[in-house]
């Protein structure tokens, strides 16, 4: 094999992988919100979950994309782990469409569609209005070009008559169980190394269709590919939270279980698939007996991939509760208090594959950030009335830790969004990223305001100054109650749908806070003059009131960023 032919082979695989990736990303840009809504709404039971996972994965041509969306919904509480398992089972079925595309691509002359696809794609991209359709056509054209080049390269290489290649595969006994295990392991390692099951499937079809590799060994490679994809997702989920790791383990369990049972009926199952391909082909008017071996074997590989995943899902769908209990038993929640352990819960390095889904994960992280800030404010309210010195010191230390967490969260989410913004994004997604950057800046300011209040209270306690009067406590509690109401409204918006949110409620609370602050400011001057309390206590008292008012402003800024409005616009 010459170096030129080798690079032509590798280049065609690269075109194939790039085309699949470009198609998947374009489809997600076109239908991302609708697909996410479908995942959330169409998983009422295990069967609709299976169907939804199949349809969504077949649509976006990426089981990874479906799995990531599903895990994010589990984290957000929109799906149970059991529902997520059914969706992931469906994703395994949906991803078999890729094999059928390749089988059809190697059986028909698809080269005629390549260059028209490029031509139409570039026109639509420059029209901008339909540029995502253009991106899809470009990806499809690259995919077809990759398949065409791969087919031509395979013919040029004539592997079926290459003595070195045929001798290598002939050295393995096709009826040996050990041979099946060796090729299964090889398929898993190859998939893990190239990070693409589509590329391994293409290589398998090339080897089988040229007669270099027997069909039994090719199917063992396909089985290994099923396990190799799950190893990747499990490694990526190591840094994720408990539910994400459980979902990844369920995915691996599903595929490993399937491989185990099919090994017991390996040759019988393959013979059955070959019979099915012959029967369906003859029923459609094809003379399967005289069909070229490359066409038939490619369809056998695709049919095996589909039959294996459909039957495996048909068996395991009845045992989803048991699978859920098993993964929960294997992966237990971490002992540490995750609220006080800085770690991004939804954003995980290497787990995200597309910018559109990355933005969804970042939004979940911001919701977590927002909820954490309200808990921090609750600690400040508790600190104000804490009399026990040890409990006071411990609570103040927790608030200080939350302040560091808020700083780190702002930096890490911002860095993540900046890396996502480097990709080719839709205008809608670019707008979301700008809004998110503003949201996290204002949320960090809320953390600063909470910490400023805590430091003011701590300064008063350490200074051994006189206590606040009962009326001052009453006023501060009332102001903090209004502030907490504004935070609750903010979190209702962040965790829900903005279309159903009444933004006027937030602005009304903010006006109440401002008016109450002005009232207390005027009253404070009179109380100091009337010697109700000292000027020093009055200053600390107004510092706390003032920080509450600032915090309310930051809340309004977050709400405006999320809604895409300004107060004067409403």
């Amino acid at each position: 094999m010459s170096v030129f032919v080798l690079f032509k082979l590798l280049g065609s695989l690269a075109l194939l992988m790039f085309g699949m990736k470009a198609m998947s990303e374009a489809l997600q840009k076109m239908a991302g919100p609708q697909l996410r809504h479908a995942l959330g709404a169409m998983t009422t039971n295990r069967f609709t979950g299976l169907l939804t996972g199949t349809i969504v994965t077949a649509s976006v041509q990426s089981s990874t994309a479906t799995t990531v969306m599903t895990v994010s919904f589990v984290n957000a509480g929109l799906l149970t782990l059991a529902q997520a398992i059914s969706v992931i089972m469906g994703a395994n079925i949906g991803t078999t469409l890729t094999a059928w595309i390749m089988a059809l691509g190697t059986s028909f002359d698809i080269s005629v569609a390549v260059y028209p696809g490029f031509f139409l794609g570039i026109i639509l991209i420059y029209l901008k209005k339909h540029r995502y359709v253009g991106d899809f056509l470009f990806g499809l054209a690259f995919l077809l070009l990759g398949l065409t080049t791969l087919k031509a390269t395979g013919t040029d290489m004539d592997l079926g008559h290459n003595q070195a290649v045929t001798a290598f595969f002939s050295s393995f006994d096709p009826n040996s169980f050990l041979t099946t295990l060796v090729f299964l392991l090889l398929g898993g390692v190859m998939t893990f190394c190239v990070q693409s099951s589509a590329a391994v499937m293409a290589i398998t079809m090339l080897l089988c269709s040229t007669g270099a590799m027997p069909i039994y060994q090719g199917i063992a490679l396909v089985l290994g590919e099923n396990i190799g994809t799950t190893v990747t997702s499990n490694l990526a989920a190591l840094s994720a939270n408990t539910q994400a790791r459980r979902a990844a383990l369920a995915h691996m369990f599903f595929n490993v279980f399937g491989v185990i049972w099919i090994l017991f009926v390996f040759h019988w199952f393959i013979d059955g698939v070959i019979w099915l391909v012959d029967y369906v082909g003859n029923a459609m008017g094809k003379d399967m007996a005289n069909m070229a071996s490359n066409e038939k074997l490619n369809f056998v590989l695709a049919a095996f991939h589909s039959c294996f995943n459909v039957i495996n899902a048909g068996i395991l769908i009845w045992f989803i509760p048991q699978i859920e209990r098993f993964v929960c038993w294997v992966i237990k929640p971490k002992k540490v208090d995750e609220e006080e352990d800085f770690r991004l819960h939804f954003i995980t390095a290497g787990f995200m594959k597309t910018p559109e889904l990355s933005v969804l994960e970042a939004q979940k992280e911001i919701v977590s950030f927002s909820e954490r800030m309200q808990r921090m404010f609750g600690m400040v309210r508790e600190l104000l009335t804490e009399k026990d010195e040890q409990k006071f010191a411990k609570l103040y230390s927790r608030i200080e830790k939350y302040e560091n967490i808020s700083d780190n969260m702002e930096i890490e989410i911002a860095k993540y969004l900046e890396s996502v913004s480097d990709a080719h994004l839709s205008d809608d997604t670019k707008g979301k990223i700008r809004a998110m950057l503003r949201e996290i800046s204002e949320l960090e300011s809320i953390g600063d305001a909470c910490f400023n209040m805590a430091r003011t209270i701590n300064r008063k306690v350490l200074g051994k100054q006189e206590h606040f009067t009962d009326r001052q406590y009453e006023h501060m509690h009332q102001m903090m109650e209004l502030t907490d109401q504004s935070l609750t409204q903010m979190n209702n918006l962040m965790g829900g749908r903005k279309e159903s949110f009444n933004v006027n409620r937030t602005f009304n609370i903010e006006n109440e806070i401002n008016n109450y602050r002005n009232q207390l400011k005027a009253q404070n001057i009179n109380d100091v003059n009337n010697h109700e309390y000292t000027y020093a206590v009055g200053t600390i008292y107004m510092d706390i009131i003032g920080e509450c008012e600032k915090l309310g402003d930051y809340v309004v800024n977050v709400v405006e960023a999320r809604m895409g409005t300004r107060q004067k616009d409403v």
Side-chain angles (χ1 to χ4, degrees):
M1 185 192 300
S2 68
V3 175
F4 174 74
V5 173
L6 177 63
F7 277 113
K8 195 175 178 183
L9 174 66
L10 295 175
S12 60
L13 287 172
L15 279 174
L16 178 72
M17 291 163 65
F18 178 78
M20 291 292 295
K21 184 175 184 292
M23 280 176 59
S24 176
E25 289 187 4
L27 284 164
Q28 288 172 59
K29 288 173 188 174
M30 285 190 283
Q34 289 80 5
L35 290 173
R36 293 196 290 271
H37 180 67
L39 269 181
M42 293 174 60
T43 51
T44 52
N45 59 58
R46 67 185 75 180
F47 299 103
T48 56
L50 182 76
L51 181 63
T52 303
T54 303
I55 293 171
V56 170
T57 304
S59 300
V60 299
Q61 281 295 292
S62 173
S63 58
T64 301
T66 306
T67 303
V68 168
M69 282 192 283
T70 304
V71 169
S72 73
F73 280 131
V74 174
N75 290 336
L78 300 175
L79 289 178
T80 64
L81 183 60
Q83 289 171 321
I85 292 170
S86 68
V87 173
I88 291 169
M89 285 182 181
N92 267 33
I93 297 173
T95 197
T96 62
L97 180 64
T98 305
W100 286 104
I101 292 173
M102 291 183 186
L104 290 168
T106 54
S107 301
F108 298 97
D109 183 13
I110 54 174
S111 59
V112 293
V114 173
Y115 296 102
F118 282 129
F119 179 69
L120 288 174
I122 198 67
I123 291 174
L124 292 171
I125 288 171
Y126 276 104
L127 286 176
K128 291 191 176 179
K129 185 178 179 182
H130 302 290
R131 66 180 178 277
Y132 305 132
V133 179
D135 288 340
F136 171 76
L137 287 175
F138 242 68
L140 180 60
F142 273 118
L143 169 67
L144 297 179
L145 181 60
L147 284 173
T148 303
T149 311
L150 191 66
K151 181 180 177 183
T153 307
T155 304
D156 293 341
M157 292 168 70
D158 194 19
L159 293 174
H161 296 93
N162 186 309
Q163 289 188 348
V165 175
T166 53
F168 171 77
F169 289 113
S170 299
S171 65
F172 294 93
D173 180 3
N175 297 314
S176 169
F177 183 71
L178 181 61
T179 298
T180 304
L181 289 180
V182 168
F183 279 85
L184 189 150
L185 179 63
L186 182 61
V189 171
M190 287 171 64
T191 306
F192 176 72
C193 290
V194 300
Q195 295 284 296
S196 172
S197 57
V200 177
M201 177 62 79
I203 292 170
T204 307
M205 286 185 170
L206 175 66
L207 290 170
C208 288
S209 62
T210 55
M213 182 167 64
I215 188 65
Y216 295 107
Q217 294 171 6
I219 286 177
L221 278 179
V222 173
L223 284 176
E225 164 216 312
N226 276 269
I227 295 178
T229 55
T230 66
V231 172
T232 303
S233 61
N234 272 271
L235 289 176
L238 286 177
S239 60
N241 65 12
T242 303
Q243 291 292 69
R245 287 183 289 124
R246 285 171 175 170
L249 180 62
H251 190 197
M252 175 175 274
F253 176 85
F254 175 83
N255 283 3
V256 170
F257 175 84
V259 168
I260 290 171
W261 70 255
I262 207 166
L263 285 176
F264 287 99
V265 293
F266 189 66
H267 289 274
W268 294 301
F269 192 89
I270 296 171
D271 292 341
V273 171
I274 293 171
W275 173 86
L276 180 65
V277 170
D278 286 338
Y279 179 81
V280 173
N282 290 326
M284 293 174 66
K286 294 268 187 182
D287 185 4
M288 301 305 291
N290 295 319
M291 180 182 277
S293 61
N294 63 328
E295 288 185 43
K296 182 174 178 179
L297 290 181
N298 286 338
F299 282 112
V300 168
L301 284 167
F304 171 83
H305 201 200
S306 295
C307 291
F308 164 70
N309 282 291
V310 169
I311 293 173
N312 199 31
I315 294 170
L316 288 179
I317 197 169
W318 305 103
F319 299 97
I320 286 178
Q322 288 77 14
I323 296 172
E324 182 183 21
R325 284 199 293 272
F326 171 73
V327 296
C328 289
W329 173 74
V330 173
I331 300 178
K332 295 180 172 59
K334 291 186 177 180
K335 300 292 184 184
V336 297
D337 182 358
E338 292 191 352
E339 288 305 323
E340 296 188 37
D341 170 43
F342 169 65
R343 183 172 59 83
L344 297 180
H345 292 262
F346 302 96
I347 295 171
T348 51
F351 200 48
M352 296 311 306
K353 297 295 181 184
T354 63
E356 303 294 321
L357 289 174
S358 300
V359 171
L360 174 67
E361 295 303 288
Q363 184 59 53
K364 302 295 182 190
E365 202 67 69
I366 293 172
V367 171
S368 173
F369 190 2
S370 177
E371 292 170 348
R372 199 187 290 258
M373 290 304 94
Q374 185 166 15
R375 283 192 289 274
M376 184 179 180
F377 182 70
M379 293 178 203
V380 174
R381 295 182 72 179
E382 191 179 338
L383 189 73
L384 182 63
T385 54
E386 184 57 66
K387 303 299 181 186
D388 185 277
E389 287 187 11
Q390 286 187 337
K391 289 182 180 178
F392 182 94
K394 187 176 180 181
L395 191 56
Y396 180 75
S397 177
R398 285 188 72 195
I399 294 170
E400 193 171 25
K401 194 169 187 178
Y402 264 62
E403 159 61 10
N404 292 329
I405 288 172
S406 71
D407 291 341
N408 289 330
M409 288 192 79
E410 181 196 16
I411 293 168
E412 292 302 319
I413 297 173
K415 280 166 60 179
Y416 184 75
L417 288 173
E418 285 170 5
S419 67
V420 172
S421 64
D422 292 335
H424 180 43
L425 302 171
S426 64
D427 292 337
D428 181 51
T429 303
K430 288 176 183 174
K432 285 179 181 176
I433 288 178
R434 286 193 295 271
M436 287 180 190
L437 289 170
R438 186 182 172 204
E439 287 168 18
I440 59 175
S441 175
E442 299 297 339
L443 285 169
E444 194 277 331
S445 296
I446 290 175
D448 289 341
C450 290
F451 188 50
N452 288 340
M453 279 186 266
R455 283 195 301 183
T456 301
I457 296 167
N458 187 52
R459 189 171 70 245
K460 174 185 171 296
V461 171
L462 293 178
K464 304 293 184 183
Q465 299 194 28
E466 62 184 276
H467 293 296
F468 292 123
T469 65
D470 290 341
R471 196 164 65 160
Q472 281 178 313
Y473 273 118
E474 183 183 338
H475 292 158
M476 283 186 289
H477 285 312
Q478 194 168 344
M479 175 60 94
M480 287 183 170
E481 179 60 32
L482 285 171
T483 307
D484 193 60
Q485 287 177 23
S486 70
L487 286 166
T488 299
Q489 287 293 310
M490 177 186 75
N491 280 318
N492 288 342
L493 168 63
M494 299 300 283
R497 297 177 66 87
K498 65 182 182 180
E499 292 80 8
S500 59
F501 183 75
N502 182 9
V503 72
N504 289 319
R505 175 63 181 147
T506 296
F507 294 143
N508 291 338
I509 294 174
E510 168 62 10
N511 288 333
E512 285 185 59
I513 290 173
N514 290 340
N515 293 335
Y516 196 49
R517 186 274 314 268
N518 294 336
Q519 177 189 332
L520 294 179
K521 191 174 181 181
Q523 189 174 340
N524 177 64
I525 295 171
N526 291 332
D527 288 343
V528 171
N529 287 335
N530 293 331
H531 305 292
E532 296 283 342
Y533 42 80
T534 65
Y535 180 82
V537 170
T539 301
I540 294 173
Y541 164 64
M542 285 313 299
D543 282 348
I544 295 171
I545 296 296
E547 286 296 338
C548 283
E549 192 276 329
K550 286 181 187 176
L551 197 154
D553 291 338
Y554 300 140
V555 168
V556 170
N557 293 340
V558 172
V559 170
E560 287 178 347
R562 180 80 175 93
M563 296 293 293
T565 60
R566 296 273 181 193
Q567 188 164 355
K568 62 177 180 289
D569 298 331
V570 179

